């Protein structure tokens, strides 16, 4: 009995090791890859996309604007040369948006003279005695009324002095309410915004500061030691040969001094 108890108490000297289970790479989580830095030209597409979005939103949200044009022509009388009528047409185009003309046109246009000034413009050609008066508004009918009111007011004020100038303004064509808006559509606004954004992105790339070096590039770059200067080394050698302060000079140095 004692022998059996002693055998049980004894432990095996070389116990068999259990085979270790290899870790399955498929069961573990994959290490996350570090995202690299964006390319240096990233502002160009980013600005282009922002410009496209801003231009498209402007074209969609802004109310459409209509434009109507009325034409008046300067006609000389029998005693006036045609070139004189051309010069008066240029002068009348400049006073078409003056305060006196807009005061005549304000009752028919139905808006104040201050608002009328911002909704009308006059244009003429140096080769033709015709004046184009354009009215703009969010309403097609109101745009036509503004153009016709200013054209009539300009003709009335100029014809009062026709006896002295020899030139008379006649209504050539009245403005009609337009059917299509004159303001750009959402597609055109988006295209303009895209071009503007791309241009700003390109300018930013040209004007940006120098690119900073990455840490791995700094580590891979060889360490640059101090650059040897032959002149500085020669001066240092001559300075080393001089005696220190308080040390007696040698006999040869004294002779050389003499």
């Amino acid at each position: 009995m004692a022998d059996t108890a002693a055998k049980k108490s004894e432990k095996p000297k070389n116990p068999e090791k259990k085979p270790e289970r290899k870790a399955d790479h498929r069961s573990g989580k994959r290490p996350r890859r570090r995202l690299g830095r964006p390319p240096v030209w990233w502002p160009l597409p980013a600005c282009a996309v922002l410009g496209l979005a801003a231009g498209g939103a402007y074209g969609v949200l802004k109310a459409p604007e209509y434009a109507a044009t009325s034409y008046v022509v300067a006609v000389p009388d029998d005693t006036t040369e045609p070139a004189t009528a051309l010069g008066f047409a240029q002068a009348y185009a400049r006073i078409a948006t003056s305060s006196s003309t807009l005061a005549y046109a304000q009752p028919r246009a139905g808006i104040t003279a201050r608002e009328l000034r911002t909704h009308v413009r006059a244009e003429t050609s140096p080769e033709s005695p015709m004046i184009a008066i354009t009215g703009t508004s969010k309403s097609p009918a109101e745009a036509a009324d503004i153009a016709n009111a200013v054209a009539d007011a300009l003709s009335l004020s100029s014809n009062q002095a026709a006896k002295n100038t020899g030139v008379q303004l006649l209504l050539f064509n009245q403005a009609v309410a337009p059917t299509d808006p004159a303001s750009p559509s959402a597609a055109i606004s988006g295209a303009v915004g895209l071009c503007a954004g791309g241009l700003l992105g390109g300018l930013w790339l040209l004007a940006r500061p120098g690119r900073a070096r990455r840490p791995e590039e700094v580590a891979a770059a060889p360490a640059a030691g101090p650059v040897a200067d032959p002149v500085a080394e020669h001066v240092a050698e001559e300075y080393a040969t001089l005696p220190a302060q308080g040390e007696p000079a040698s006999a040869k140095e004294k002779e050389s001094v003499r």
Side-chain angles (χ1 to χ4, degrees):
M1 296 294 290
D3 295 339
T4 57
K7 290 180 180 179
K8 289 181 180 180
S9 61
E10 292 179 357
K11 294 181 180 180
K13 295 181 179 180
N14 296 324
E16 296 181 357
K17 295 181 179 181
K18 295 182 180 181
E20 297 179 357
R21 295 180 63 184
K22 295 182 179 181
D24 189 1
H25 67 279
R26 293 176 296 179
S27 60
K29 295 182 179 180
R30 295 181 179 179
R32 296 180 179 179
R33 296 180 179 179
R34 297 180 62 184
L35 297 177
R37 297 180 63 181
V40 295
W41 45 265
W42 70 265
L44 182 61
C47 293
V49 172
L50 289 177
L52 176 62
Y58 176 79
V60 171
L61 298 178
K62 184 184 178 183
E65 190 176 41
Y66 296 87
T69 305
S70 179
Y71 296 93
V72 292
V73 61
V75 179
D77 56 13
D78 298 335
T79 60
T80 307
E81 297 181 358
T84 305
L86 183 61
F88 273 100
Q90 301 288 333
Y92 285 136
R94 296 178 181 178
I95 66 174
T97 56
S98 62
S99 300
S100 59
T101 305
L102 297 180
Y104 280 112
Q106 186 267 332
R108 181 177 175 182
I111 57 177
T112 61
R114 181 177 299 178
E115 294 179 356
L116 187 60
R117 187 185 301 275
T118 60
H119 289 282
V120 65
R121 65 177 183 270
E123 299 174 351
T124 185
S125 172
E127 300 177 355
S128 174
M130 186 173 293
I131 304 172
I133 301 173
T134 304
T136 58
S137 177
K138 296 180 180 179
S139 172
E142 186 177 5
D145 291 341
I146 291 174
N148 291 328
V150 175
D152 292 341
L154 182 62
S155 301
L156 179 62
S157 60
S158 62
N159 291 338
Q160 292 177 353
K163 294 181 180 180
N164 299 327
T165 60
V167 177
Q168 186 179 7
L169 284 183
L170 299 178
L171 184 62
F172 185 79
N173 188 16
Q174 284 190 342
V176 181
T179 57
D180 298 329
S183 57
S185 61
I188 298 177
S189 299
V192 173
L194 176 65
C195 296
L199 178 61
L200 292 178
L203 292 177
W204 190 90
L205 288 177
L206 294 176
R208 70 186 180 90
R211 182 176 65 89
R213 299 182 67 182
R214 299 181 181 180
E216 53 268 21
E217 294 179 357
V218 176
V227 180
D229 190 357
V231 178
E233 291 181 356
H234 180 68
V235 173
E237 290 177 359
E238 291 184 355
Y239 183 79
T241 57
L242 296 176
Q245 187 176 2
E247 295 182 1
S250 60
K252 293 183 179 181
E253 292 177 356
K254 292 180 179 180
E255 292 178 358
S256 62
V257 171
R258 292 178 182 177

